[in-house]
Structure formats: structure tokens, C-alpha cells
Amino acid sequence: MKYSKLVEVYKAVESTSKRLEKTKILADFLKIVHENELETILLLLQGKVFPEWDKRKLGVAAKLVIKSISLTGGKKPSDVEKKWKTIGDLGEVSKDLVGRKSQATLFSADLTVEKVYKNMVKISSVEGHGSVDTKVKLIAELLSNASPDEAIYIVRTVLEDLRVGIAEGTLRDAITWAFLIKEYEIASKGKVMSWKGPEGSYNEYKEEFELVENAFNKTNDFGIVAVAAKKGTSRLKKTGMQVGKPIQVMLGPKERNIKNAFERVGRPAALEYKYDGFRIQTHKDGGKILLFTRRLEEVTAQFPELVKRIKKFVKGDSYIIDSEVVGYNPNTGNYMPFQNISQRIRRKYDIEKLAEQLPVEMNIFDVLYYEGKEYINEPFWKRREKLKKIVTEEPLQVKLADQLITGNDKEADHFYQQSLKAGNEGLMFKKLDAPYRPGKRVGNMVKMKPVMETLDLVVVGAEWGTGKRSGWLTSFTLGCESDGEVLEIGKVGTGLKELETEGEVTFNELTELLKPLIVKEKGKLVEVKPKIVLEIAYEEIQKSPTYSSGYALRFPRVLKIRYDRGLIDCSTLDEVQDLFYGQNK
Ligand code: AMP
């Protein structure tokens, strides 16, 4: 397929804010995509080159793109950079500079989706001496053959900052419309057929929507889902989990007290310690073990001791289990808060030594797949029974999450206090007969913790400091998440330190993390890819027309960097709303 066709779709989707229109544009397009190209197209529509769980990463910074534009457009890098600071968007800069150039060379070849994709994949694999030059050339090769419009989207894609407004739900609906609802043109007229829409025509096609939704939740991969949907419902039904491919984790809303928590999950319920660690999804396939974080990043290499222990203490040839890995003091055996061990997720060297200094215990709380059978639709109590049979418990190594089944407030409170005393965050309340719902923050499990409400917000922009803070980014624009999109909720500049202080976030640390993520720069303002999540304390949530979420925070303050979180699991607009309405209770 010609890349220009895909660009037409990007532009059409970008030009409307109406979800139904976007869905229709995408559905019409997906219908004409050849099966061989569906997976690539679905990644590119999401502005991705690799799925989340893939180890390969693009990692292209703005500086590199500037060099490529300069090479193609025959301008000095400093001139490109200057233009960038005035226009603010590197895509637009490339449109201007590269566009003029390609009009001069009339014989440039037509770009194909395949070529664009191939070069991007290559970018991720070049390493070592001269790699910067090679990457610059790979991008420049695309730009020199691109039309001005194509240049925009090539640049935005390599920067992983597509911004055409295709939310996950829209893509899921588009796949359903394209392949399973033949008469969607008529059906969609005047009727709302989106996931979030009211009843009505959605109900007529409930089964179709759910098939696509389920397949996506299990595979986490729109490419696989679209290919299956194109082949028909029976193929879609067979699309199951695959060991080695992480599935979206189930999340839980928060409740303020025991009574409310029970109201959500019913009595009796399974109450579990809520450990203050990080979530690890383990996949075992024969001798091979893979560990993923809740952001679906693979972290197997960082936890060699866990790999060994899982093999020893968890029976079975192939399985997917869910757990919380929590750190403890090697001298006392007492649990430690997450931030004390967060470096274990990122550390790339001296791993064995770090594992001794910062030992961890794995607390298994769910099984999603075991020896060829999916368990997610089994009730929770059955999944727990299964775990009991396959896990040999060894405290401080691998064990089942501490659990109490009760419907009694007093017993629940006692268990809650006991959990806090042991150094945990609080309790999880789990519905006994509920299935595991991947990727959902549903009421099948509910969390309860005493600490002040904080929000985990993603940084989307910042401002370069002046005076003694020059060289650092200051004043960070924060966003929450809604259906895969980021909505702004305010700015934060306090809580960060100028000098290195144990356990505190410094301007320097945050600046270094954000610098490679800058996608737009205008004057002192920068826009960054939404990847870094901060835990934010505040005094109050207020309604505000200033920010796209409709809310703002009073006196926000940075508490810590949540290295374990990304856009998919930062605070949602729904949570912000709940907190807002709960404030005055
Ligand atoms: P929160 O991080 O506040 O959204 O709470 C949900 C998280 O608590 C999950 O994603 C897990 O990482 C963690 N967690 C700790 N203990 C448990 C448990 N027993 N069951 C489920 N999740 C747990």
C-alpha cells in the first residue's frame, strides 16, 4: 500500500473530533487493507512500530530527527532547530523544509507503507559506532522521498508522537464494524454504536463487540485481532492468550472504607494484603520464563533470582500468573516501601549484587492460564484453589498473597490493621465469584489504603527554568488518562529538590528523564511524550475550564517518580471525578 493512503486516513481522522466519524473512517479503511499488511497498519495507526511488550524500542530523540531534516532539506541543524522553536512541531518543520525539497526533485519514488515500516524497524536495531549516522540516514531516506504531508507523519511516528486522536476504543470498534458488522453504514446512521454509547444498536451487535473486546484483552494486540476478525467469528473465538505475550492487568478502583469495599464486592469476599511493591506477570513456557511489569515491559533480566525460584516453587510447564513483588530489609525481613526497591526494575548492571542488597518476595495472587487452559473466566475462588495446588510456599521467596475470606466488618478491620502493621499499603477486596477482566478497572477487586489520596499523573510538558534553575526543566504540566488519551489537569513545580537528597526527586533527575522525550519546543516551553508518571499530592481538586480534563489541583506537590507506571495505568479521569465528588462527603 502507498504510504500516502495511510496519510490520507491520518488526516481524515485528525480532522474530526467525533468518535463515530473517526470509527467510520477507520472501518472503511481497514476493509481495504490486505491481510498481509493489517498488522503493520494497525501498529502505525496507533503511532507505534512495535507493540508495548516487544523488547525492541525505537527511542528516537528530537535531536536525531533535526539532523535528518537538516540532511534532507539542505539546511544547517541550527536553522532547523531555530525553526522548531518558533513553529513548535517538528512534523510541521519537516513539512516546510522537506516539502520544498521534494518538489524540486520530481522523480522521487512513491513511498510505501512497507518501506516506511522497514526503515523504522531498522532504526531500532542499529547499534554501536556510527549508529547515529545510520539512523539519521534511515529517516532522511524516507523524508527525501516524502511529500510534505507524508513528512509530517513520518516525523511524528519516529518520535512516537502521532497525535491523530485514535483511542483504543475507537480502533476496537472500527475492527468490529469493518469485519463483523456488514451493514454498519446503515446501522451507524443516527445511532450510537460505540462502546461507551447508550444502549440501542450496540445491543444488536453486543456479541460482535464483545468478541473483539475479549480477543484484544487476551492478546493485547490489535494486529492479531484484526487478522482474526477478517477471517470471521469462529477464528476470533479461538484467539486466545499466548504464553510469552503479556496481557493487560486487571486493576481495581479505590474505596474509602470497609463498608463501601464490601458493598462493591459482596459478602463474603477474599481480602488480601495490598503489598507495596510492583506487579509482575510471569509467563512460563517450558524452560523459559518471562517477567513483565504492569506496563507490559519485559524485566526478566533484572530478576534472575525470581526466575530460579519460580521454576522451583511453581509447578507446571506453561502458565501465566499474576503477583506483587515486594522488597524487604535483608537484615530484619521487614517489608520496605516500593520506592526503596524501585531501582531494581531499571538496573542493567551488577544485577546479582543488587538482588542481594535489595531482596524481594513474590506474592502470587492470580493464575490466568495453566497448561493449555485459560483461567480468566473461572471464578476467583477457583483460581485461588488452583494456585494452592501449584505453588509451594516459601516465605521471603515465593508465596501466595496473605488472604482472609470474611464478610464481617470487625474481622476485616483486624486484618487491615494487621496488614498495615506488616508494612503493607492496605487491603485488596476481591469478589469471590468474579472472572479476571484484563485491562479493566472494574469492581471485581477494590483497593483500600489509608494514606492521603494522591494521583499518579503523567508529565506532558514542562518549562525550561531560569536563573539558578536554568538547564533544568521546571513547572511540569500533568495529565490524567481517559480512554488512552491524555487530558491535562494542571502544573506542578513544588516538591522537587535542587540538591541531591536521599529519597527525594531532584530537578536534575526529572530533567534527564524528560529530555529524550521532548517532541516539541517553543521558546521556554517543551512538550514531552507522555511516559513519565509522578505521584502527586494536593490539597483539593477543583473544577476548571483551563485544562482539558475540566479539573485542576490546588497546591500540587511531587512526591515521587513512579518508575513502574506509564500512561496505561496513571490516574484516570474517572478517578479524578470520583475524588472530586468524594471530597465533600
Ligand atoms: P494501585 O497501585 O493503588 O492502583 O493498586 C493496585 C495495585 O496493587 C495492583 O496493580 C498491584 O500491583 C498491587 N497489589 C498489591 N497487593 C495486591 C494483591 N494482593 N492483589 C492484587 N493487587 C495487589
Side-chain angles (χ1 to χ4, degrees), residues 252-456:
K254 200 167 185 168
E255 280 299 351
R256 16 193 79 238
N257 57 45
I258 289 173
K259 198 171 144 276
N260 291 5
F262 270 129
E263 246 163 51
R264 284 255 202 178
V265 296
R267 295 174 195 255
L271 278 52
E272 286 179 7
Y273 280 3
K274 182 178 191 311
Y275 304 94
D276 187 12
F278 38 83
R279 194 158 182 167
I280 291 286
Q281 194 179 103
T282 302
H283 289 237
K284 183 174 187 214
D285 188 8
K288 195 171 172 202
I289 293 214
L290 293 173
L291 307 176
F292 298 95
T293 65
R294 71 196 246 173
R295 288 166 65 174
L296 315 181
E297 269 168 352
E298 205 216 297
V299 289
T300 319
Q302 283 89 311
F303 296 96
E305 85 275 36
L306 283 182
V307 171
K308 276 190 218 140
R309 283 188 224 159
I310 293 163
K311 283 186 184 160
K312 189 165 163 198
F313 296 116
V314 188
K315 256 199 308 220
D317 252 355
S318 73
Y319 49 75
I320 304 175
I321 53 176
D322 203 352
S323 67
E324 184 83 354
V325 166
V326 59
Y328 60 87
N329 180 322
N331 302 317
T332 62
N334 291 337
Y335 288 147
M336 295 196 299
F338 161 76
Q339 66 262 37
N340 292 28
I341 54 152
S342 66
Q343 43 175 310
R344 289 224 39 196
I345 311 181
R346 285 168 289 133
R347 184 64 84 85
K348 299 266 156 36
Y349 56 92
D350 279 348
I351 287 172
E352 308 271 348
K353 206 163 112 201
L354 195 67
E356 269 173 38
Q357 288 163 354
L358 302 175
V360 291
E361 174 188 76
M362 176 176 259
N363 287 278
I364 300 176
F365 55 75
D366 228 319
V367 52
L368 316 184
Y369 176 96
Y370 193 79
E371 309 279 29
K373 179 174 171 349
E374 286 185 0
Y375 274 78
I376 54 172
N377 291 321
E378 297 287 324
F380 178 60
W381 66 267
K382 265 201 181 167
R383 305 202 299 275
R384 174 83 183 192
E385 287 302 308
K386 183 78 192 167
L387 283 177
K388 281 188 194 155
K389 288 194 194 121
I390 61 177
V391 178
T392 311
E393 297 195 73
E394 189 63 48
L396 299 185
Q397 300 219 16
V398 171
K399 59 188 264 298
L400 298 184
D402 288 272
Q403 194 190 68
L404 172 75
I405 294 182
T406 182
N408 178 296
D409 287 11
K410 257 201 186 146
E411 277 180 26
D413 189 53
H414 183 74
F415 195 54
Y416 180 52
Q417 301 304 338
Q418 198 179 309
S419 174
L420 295 178
K421 229 193 246 158
N424 299 312
E425 271 192 305
L427 286 186
M428 302 296 300
F429 284 64
K430 300 185 177 180
K431 201 174 180 151
L432 284 167
D433 57 2
Y436 187 98
R437 301 284 310 277
K440 289 275 168 316
R441 196 180 283 281
V442 280
N444 293 349
M445 74 175 192
V446 170
K447 57 193 177 194
M448 198 185 116
K449 45 184 185 180
V451 285
M452 162 192 51
E453 309 280 9
T454 58
L455 286 168
D456 292 320

Side-chain angles (χ1 to χ4, degrees), residues 35-49:
E35 197 181 311
N36 295 341
E37 274 192 319
L38 259 181
E39 295 205 22
T40 310
I41 292 280
L42 275 149
L43 284 168
L44 292 176
L45 281 175
Q46 296 169 85
K48 289 180 186 168
V49 176

Side-chain angles (χ1 to χ4, degrees), residues 1 55 96 177 183 207 256-257 285 332 336 391 434 453 476 479 482 495 550:
M1 177 182 289
K55 256 196 186 155
D96 278 9
W177 289 25
E183 69 277 36
E207 199 186 324
R256 16 193 79 238
N257 57 45
D285 188 8
T332 62
M336 295 196 299
V391 178
E453 309 280 9
F476 305 90
S482 176

Side-chain angles (χ1 to χ4, degrees), residues 236-250:
L236 204 51
K237 278 182 191 153
K238 280 194 212 124
T239 306
M241 298 174 176
Q242 288 173 24
V243 180
K245 281 197 177 172
I247 69 169
Q248 306 262 11
V249 300
M250 176 166 75

Side-chain angles (χ1 to χ4, degrees), residues 121-184:
V121 171
K122 267 192 210 155
I123 290 171
S124 78
S125 67
V126 276
E127 282 174 24
H129 186 68
S131 64
V132 171
D133 268 359
T134 315
K135 288 182 190 181
V136 168
K137 280 186 194 135
L138 283 166
I139 301 170
E141 188 196 354
L142 296 179
L143 291 180
S144 62
N145 287 310
S147 70
D149 276 344
E150 288 171 342
I152 297 185
Y153 295 98
I154 288 170
V155 165
R156 289 201 198 161
T157 308
V158 285
L159 285 173
E160 295 167 277
D161 184 38
L162 187 63
R163 278 180 288 124
V164 294
I166 303 179
E168 205 175 278
T170 314
L171 214 45
R172 201 175 41 201
D173 289 356
I175 292 172
T176 319
W177 289 25
F179 304 121
L180 303 180
I181 303 178
K182 300 286 180 289
E183 69 277 36
Y184 73 86

